[in-house]
Amino acid sequence: MTSMIKTVDPSTPVPRDVAVVGAGAAGMMAAIHAARIGAAVTLYEKNERCGRKLRITGKGRCNVTNHCTRDEFFANVTGNSRFLYSAWSRFSSEDAETFFESLGVPLKVERGNRVFPLSDKATDVVDALVRECRRLGVQLVNERVEGLFVREGRLLGVSTGKKTLAHGAVILATGGASYPLTGSTGDGYRFARAVGHSVVTPTPSLVPLVENGDFCASVQGLSLRNVRLSVLDSQTGKTVFEDFGEMMFTHFGVTGPLVLSASAHLSEMAPDRYRLLIDLKPALDEKTLDARILSDFEKYKNRDFLNALADLLPQKLIGPLVSRSGIDGHRKVNSVTREERHRLLSLLKALPIDVRGFRPIAEAIVTKGGVSLAEISPRTMESKLLSGLYFAGEVMDLDAYTGGFNLQIAFSTAVLAGESAAIAVLS
């Protein structure tokens, strides 16, 4: 496979081709669009298969993008959204949908405008990208890139450990540091630093949260639907996140769509800085909920308090919540005082969970941080420090909320990087 790739001889002109490092979502998209412009493209991938991380996204269903407007997209980018203006203009969510449909991947739109393949199979998305790479003559090389080859400020190609290979331009699409078993081991950060780039310290984003306590463990495995989650920052006294949806208790804390979205808002994590408040009955205001509790108490007036909440709460939650209320669960419900009933009401409307920290970055869906955007041209994705070096996807300091927005960032930046690199080497 490597016979067409030239080894580097600094005395001869660099080939007019493009190398892409990393055959994930961003890498394959960059390779496809560079090849469509007319450049010869070599795609380096250290794993045996392309798109290893893409195959497991969305629980194996692959939420390829979000069917949203421009303003909605930028509202869901957690920071540095202005950097993406040119990339989005070149390849929007609508463009992504059209692209995959054209490759024979029918799509559907689900709750929250999330876009999935109609088959619910992430492998269909990966296979379509691989097929298009092959159709366009992209040369896939299953070797690990060890670094960039630079001499006298000139990018000459890449080093694989076995040899140094010449390329006219290089696109780093190596991903972040999440899910390292899929190949996202932070290689791109190392390559970028080696040529003078700054890297914003990678931290987990869209990641489960660890409880400072043991309440969650007592109800582990319980999923909650149609609840409202708020996050209070004790340092500022402000609510930094609030949304409605689904979450789940685990042995270590909490996870699920609501929690993953909330985690993106928690900067400078410290034990006990953040408190989660779960509204278990968001459809009822306090007055209505109190009337509902009184009605249940009347219905079960001869039962123990512990046995009078079955209509109100999941069975698994009753014991731990009664314990937290401080009310004796074996008292008859008709002896519960007004003050005690209001304590129960407060827990139902704002069940507190103190956060100790994030789960490890290896468990994060995406990485917050990466190559500094101040050193990358937003119009081309080219390095401002080294001509011929481009970036695409999660290797950069870009991330967004759940719902297909992170893959859209990968696709938009990859299309711009691939086309810019191709135009540069062919001009």
Side-chain angles (χ1 to χ4, degrees), residues 7-15 149-152 154-156 164 166:
T7 56
V8 172
D9 180 350
S11 65
T12 59
V14 174
F149 187 75
V150 179
R151 179 169 291 181
E152 298 178 355
R154 181 186 178 199
L155 177 64
L156 298 176
T164 302

Side-chain angles (χ1 to χ4, degrees), residues 138-156:
V138 173
Q139 188 177 6
L140 177 64
V141 178
N142 285 117
E143 290 186 27
R144 184 189 187 107
V145 171
E146 299 291 346
L148 304 174
F149 187 75
V150 179
R151 179 169 291 181
E152 298 178 355
R154 181 186 178 199
L155 177 64
L156 298 176

